[in-house]
Amino acid sequence: MDTVRRKVIVVTDGDHIAQKVIENVAKQFGGRCISLSAGNPTPLRGNQIVELIKMTPYDPVIVMFDDNGDYGKGRGERALEYVVKHPDIEVIGAIAVASNTHWVKGATVAYSVNNQGQIVEEAVDKDGYADEQLQHHIYGDTVDILNSLHVPNVIGIGDIGKMEGRDSLQNGCPITTRAVQWIMERSGAHGTGHGKTSSHFNLS
């Protein structure tokens, strides 16, 4: 029986644009995206997501979670908590997505990827601009639980697929790609599929 824990990257965003970007980025790394985890809010329970993760043929598996702005621990955070704590799952990192949510505590990050595709030692806002006044906190509607779960390799990012067009599919979603690449490098993980990691970032 295969006892190897599946390597998973969690993303705290699940809207339609984020879904298309994450699907694209997962292919670049030879991994898989759990497309059914997309939605506002997350449409699946944690146990359903774990079963889908186990069915995917390649690591890393990228999974989206979204609370749709619900106050407190919403469906996205409850599902995320279940996945992180599951014994068959190894969460190797998280992409904490900034939004305009104001009533949250936020997630503490040591690093973010800004809208130029650069890794910075600050938090970023929804548009991907680094800001010292954020005091290393990413504010989004599904990020609060990351601190209590002690997820490794958490990186902040602006609104996936957007950031004034710099992370669009048409532009090759380079900012989200850089965030996943950073997690892969920090965790020592390598994709087991046949995709190729691109280090080219077209941000003009």
Side-chain angles (χ1 to χ4, degrees), residues 94-110:
I95 298 177
V97 182
S99 68
N100 288 331
T101 310
H102 299 293
W103 57 83
V104 298
K105 297 178 181 178
T108 304
V109 297

Side-chain angles (χ1 to χ4, degrees), residues 14-142:
D15 65 24
H16 179 71
I17 293 175
Q19 176 188 351
K20 296 302 181 184
V21 168
I22 295 299
E23 288 171 347
N24 181 283
V25 172
K27 290 178 182 177
Q28 293 184 45
F29 288 87
R32 291 294 186 272
C33 164
I34 303 297
S35 297
L36 291 175
S37 67
N40 303 98
T42 300
L44 302 178
R45 296 186 302 274
N47 64 315
Q48 294 173 307
I49 293 174
V50 168
E51 290 306 310
L52 289 171
I53 290 170
K54 291 181 177 182
M55 291 170 60
T56 59
Y58 303 122
D59 290 342
V61 185
I62 307 180
V63 187
M64 295 164 282
F65 300 90
D66 199 311
D67 275 349
N68 194 30
D70 290 345
Y71 183 79
K73 188 187 292 186
R75 291 178 61 178
E77 285 192 324
R78 290 196 298 271
L80 193 158
E81 181 177 33
Y82 184 94
V83 170
V84 170
K85 292 183 175 181
H86 197 281
D88 295 339
I89 303 299
E90 178 187 0
V91 173
I92 62 172
I95 298 177
V97 182
S99 68
N100 288 331
T101 310
H102 299 293
W103 57 83
V104 298
K105 297 178 181 178
T108 304
V109 297
Y111 301 95
S112 298
V113 55
N114 67 14
N115 60 19
Q116 298 295 318
Q118 301 166 330
I119 303 299
V120 296
E121 296 184 24
E122 301 287 349
V124 295
D125 63 16
K126 182 177 181 178
D127 293 319
Y129 289 100
D131 188 346
E132 291 183 2
Q133 295 185 355
L134 293 172
Q135 298 182 323
H136 290 281
H137 278 72
I138 293 289
Y139 294 98
D141 67 5
T142 320

